[in-house]
Amino acid sequence: MQILKFGGKSLSNGKGLEAVLSIISKKVAQGQPIAVVVSARDKATDQLEAMLEKASKGTLVNEEFSDFKQYQSDGHSVDFSAEFSILQKIFDGVSLLGDYNEKIKDNTLAQGEILSAKFISHLLSERGIPAQFVDSRAFYVTDSLFGSAQLISAISQEKTQAYFKDFPKGVVPIVTGFIAANEKGETTTLGRNGSNYSASLLANFLNAEELQNYTHVDGIFTANPELVPQAKIIRQLSFEEANELANFGTSILHAKTIIPLLEKKIPLRILNTFKAEDAGTLICEGDSVGGIRAISVLDNYALIVLEGRGLLGKVGVDARIFNALAQAKISVSIISQGSSERGIGFLVANKDARKAQQALEKEFEIDVYNHDVSQVSVVENVGVVSIVGQDLADFDKPYNALVRNQVAPFLINNSATGKNVSIVIHKKDLPKAVNVIHGEIFEISKRINLAIFGRGTVGNTLIQQIFQAREDILKRRNINLQIISVADSKQFVFDPKGISTTQYDNFAQEATPYTLNEFIGLVQQHHLENLLAIDVTASKTFVENYLPLVENGFDLVSANKIANTIDYPFYKKLRETLAQYKKQYLYETNVGAGLPLIDTIKLLHHSGENITRIKGIFSGTLSFLFNTYSASEAPFSEILRKAIESGYTEPDPREDLCGNDVGRKLLILARELDLENEFEEVAIENLIPEHLREGSREEFLSRLNEFDAIYQEIKDKAPKGTVLRYVGDLHGDLSQTATARLEVKLVAVPESSALGQVKGADSIFEIYTESYGENPIVIQGAGAGAAVTARGVFGDILRIIGNK
Ligand code: ASP
Ligand code: MG
């Protein structure tokens, strides 16, 4: 025989009910002997409890009761007069008295299961399937602990077997779950969710071959799929493993449910009523797979901490604590005590928190007075994440992942029995914490969530590069790079599951206005982890967002130079904040685009190498301009025009020619060497003749010829065998002073020198150090352009991920 159990949601009107009837019909058609155990339908138990509570306040419940009756009958002519009349009498009586007890409550709630079982047997009979309503109070006998009664096993088993011995063959018993009776015949219940237990008892007593528990979920998951979208179904669990899970809050697996099955090794299958063909999760006798099977979550707890110097070495303090709590009827969950005995922390249900505090304050009144106990503190709204199967030896991985994602545990507990670690955290962090841990343990690929700010050429190129490289990175490095948002200065597209190419292509239609706060709000709301913000804007103000981004868990990658070149106090503050939040900030493209310059300088500097000078051509644009001009007879304006037309310059070429950009790059390098220079200290030779510096872009562009005479003169004056180059130069007595001399100037260099040899729009950097002496390390190559810059940014992203 198979026992089929259906939960409340499965039995709700419409789809659920249809599915249940068809599952039963199929089994009957196959000739499979079955018995069915049902919960109350839909939310009946909660509704009955709510009506009872309301009635006890003296309020009429006519309206909700009439809705309840209508829902339960659902237009069918089933005779519910007895049940409805009991309920009516109870509600009337309770509202008159203004009170009720657990016994009355059990009698009230029990009607939910009775209505349900009667209803299902009625519908089956209507469809020509012989079925009979069975009231489990006829054979389940319990003690009189109303609300959560204890089964008297031997008597119940005997009565159940006797009852079913004479049960007509071919008729399907539809048995009420949840309810029983005490020896006086008064109605009791087995506790909330007790129908599962009723069903396993029946399976045990009738020696069923399998219990099929039809729910509204697909089975048991590695974590609650409502919290963790990546959760995976567990196909098979041993009874022992299921028991562990049950102890940590997996509600369909309540410990009581497993025991009667375990005793007779009856397999339990968790199935989804709405997808009855799926295999679900099978719990049966067998070897445990071992390792971590699932992560479970408990919420609604409070952490109580009792602290004090005077507790050290005192005997009996713990006994007093737990005595006081026991007397106040407060149950204690996780307990943690440091070996120094200076304090003890433990969890109680949130609702008991104040009561527990009062009980302890009373118990330790004199100790507080003597300063032996400093205080009894309460942290309400904490939750527990339990990693079932976690070996303490490998706990560093999930733990580090939590810390990286700014979840700070209040306490950590490993159970002395079994391999489990529980982490007590703030309730608001629960969803993020389960996701982070789940990602670390169960997901082969690590999700990295990228937020890209800036949709200019570099931004756009970067996004295309990411889309192209994604699959490869997933395959080769098990990293799932997803772009959760793309933003320009006013609008953004956000998708916590990652933006698709189509979504990005339709940016104009899909984008909505946003503020940084709203963006951060969304990130929190979706509990996203492993966050990385990328600044590919050219904005002067976007850096204001860096601190809040870091404070909210983002690492940073930037192609924007502003953050590194505004005042030194900000530079320092940003680094301090990064250190505080354990976040990284990379900006390789700030100087020389994708060339590995900053990384090299950092390595040298941090390894103790004394860098004495850095000199080079920092601007690809100006490199092109002077390389071409020096090698040609054409007037300066002609070459400048060519640079403008080829898109080598900024829209207003004066931004390149004024030298500020080179000055900024020089400053960035100086600060990389821990020098505290400010931008004002960079001596910059402005390449624009003074009278052309003001005025509109158009006007400027119409007067380019005025450059010619000036630059012809410079060229003529330069010594033979030299060429003109616009160089940045960082030097000085670097090991002795806090600042360097920073100069940006147009100079004539020997044609045969490294700087003189540079071609096209290349950049070149010479790094002079003590060990390398006269022969500098030279880094040369394309130092500008969207494609190389985007590659450089991508490189930074991968570097950060590599360190995670
Ligand atoms: N109807 C009861 C409850 O909701 C028992 C059950 O469904 O298992 O708790
Ligand atoms: Mg670079």
Side-chain angles (χ1 to χ4, degrees), residues 311-557:
L311 299 178
L312 191 72
K314 266 210 176 144
V315 174
V317 174
D318 293 348
R320 284 171 63 199
I321 294 175
F322 296 111
N323 239 328
L325 293 170
Q327 258 161 32
K329 290 204 164 37
I330 295 167
S331 143
V332 178
S333 162
I334 290 175
I335 302 167
S336 168
Q337 183 169 35
S339 57
S340 72
E341 297 182 39
R342 283 183 55 168
I344 176 166
F346 51 85
L347 298 192
V348 301
N350 234 346
K351 63 172 178 36
D352 293 334
R354 294 295 154 194
K355 211 164 76 179
Q357 189 181 25
Q358 278 161 15
L360 293 174
E361 278 171 355
K362 194 162 152 241
E363 172 66 37
F364 288 91
E365 205 174 341
I366 296 170
D367 310 73
V368 171
Y369 180 78
N370 292 335
H371 301 291
D372 283 345
V373 169
S374 49
Q375 61 170 347
V376 179
S377 56
V378 176
V379 187
E380 276 177 294
N381 296 315
V382 302
V384 184
V385 182
S386 297
I387 314 178
V388 180
Q390 174 75 60
D391 201 322
L392 211 51
D394 325 306
F395 181 59
D396 56 321
K397 272 170 74 190
Y399 181 73
N400 285 335
L402 282 181
V403 173
R404 242 182 6 243
N405 283 284
Q406 262 112 22
V407 178
F410 289 121
L411 62 89
I412 293 171
N413 184 281
N414 70 313
S415 54
T417 56
K419 284 183 184 168
N420 303 296
V421 176
S422 296
I423 305 147
V424 179
I425 55 177
H426 206 286
K427 184 175 168 178
K428 71 167 175 23
D429 290 332
L430 274 179
K432 182 154 120 186
V434 221
N435 274 286
V436 166
I437 298 177
H438 193 273
E440 197 64 44
I441 294 172
F442 291 109
E443 290 161 43
I444 335 151
S445 66
K446 189 186 293 180
R447 266 166 299 151
I448 304 285
N449 294 310
L450 308 176
I452 299 178
F453 295 91
R455 287 209 321 125
T457 22
V458 174
N460 188 47
T461 312
L462 173 68
I463 292 167
Q464 302 301 352
Q465 288 177 356
I466 294 174
F467 279 141
Q468 271 164 23
R470 275 192 57 171
E471 233 166 89
D472 210 41
I473 292 178
L474 183 62
K475 260 198 232 130
R476 280 208 290 202
R477 298 187 54 183
N478 273 329
I479 286 167
N480 181 4
L481 273 189
Q482 46 175 38
I483 304 177
I484 51 162
S485 92
V486 173
D488 59 26
S489 57
K490 292 183 192 72
Q491 291 196 305
F492 82 150
V493 173
F494 178 88
D495 189 332
K497 296 208 173 66
I499 291 169
S500 66
T501 40
T502 341
Q503 270 169 302
Y504 180 64
D505 291 342
N506 296 332
F507 185 88
Q509 293 87 284
E510 304 242 342
T512 50
Y514 82 105
T515 62
L516 191 83
N517 274 341
E518 285 164 351
F519 165 71
I520 289 176
L522 281 169
V523 166
Q524 286 169 344
Q525 184 189 323
H526 293 280
H527 312 291
L528 297 170
E529 75 282 10
N530 297 329
L531 302 164
L532 189 43
I534 296 137
D535 177 4
V536 272
T537 69
S539 159
K540 292 210 166 56
T541 52
F542 187 78
V543 303
E544 288 164 13
N545 300 325
Y546 282 21
L547 295 178
L549 282 169
V550 172
E551 284 158 5
N552 284 285
F554 283 86
D555 290 298
L556 298 176
V557 167

Side-chain angles (χ1 to χ4, degrees), residues 531-638:
L531 302 164
L532 189 43
I534 296 137
D535 177 4
V536 272
T537 69
S539 159
K540 292 210 166 56
T541 52
F542 187 78
V543 303
E544 288 164 13
N545 300 325
Y546 282 21
L547 295 178
L549 282 169
V550 172
E551 284 158 5
N552 284 285
F554 283 86
D555 290 298
L556 298 176
V557 167
S558 180
N560 185 345
K561 291 188 254 309
I562 298 296
N564 288 331
T565 52
I566 50 177
D567 55 298
Y568 192 72
F570 175 83
Y571 188 89
K572 246 181 95 183
K573 171 92 185 128
L574 176 58
R575 263 88 189 153
E576 282 162 10
T577 312
L578 288 160
Q580 183 188 346
Y581 289 87
K582 300 195 174 58
K583 293 290 147 199
Q584 302 179 67
Y585 169 38
L586 294 182
Y587 39 85
E588 180 57 80
T589 56
N590 273 195
V591 185
L595 293 178
L597 177 67
I598 294 182
D599 205 36
T600 309
I601 291 177
K602 249 189 212 161
L603 280 175
L604 288 168
H605 185 57
H606 290 169
S607 65
E609 179 65 35
N610 216 348
I611 294 177
T612 51
R613 181 173 211 156
I614 302 173
K615 192 173 159 191
I617 298 170
F618 286 60
S619 156
T621 313
L622 299 179
S623 177
F624 171 82
L625 201 62
F626 288 103
N627 298 347
T628 323
Y629 181 59
S630 291
S632 125
E633 294 297 310
F636 191 81
S637 60
E638 198 183 307

Side-chain angles (χ1 to χ4, degrees), residues 674-678 681 731-734 736-742:
D674 293 321
L675 299 164
E676 297 179 8
N677 283 87
E678 293 286 1
E681 294 161 12
H731 58 115
D733 198 355
L734 302 189
Q736 299 303 312
T737 55
T739 58
R741 285 186 59 194
L742 304 174

Side-chain angles (χ1 to χ4, degrees), residues 238-260:
S238 68
F239 282 121
E240 286 71 26
E241 289 169 334
N243 219 354
E244 282 294 330
L245 285 186
N247 288 332
F248 288 98
T250 308
S251 61
I252 359 179
L253 287 179
H254 195 280
K256 269 187 167 176
T257 312
I258 304 287
I259 292 160

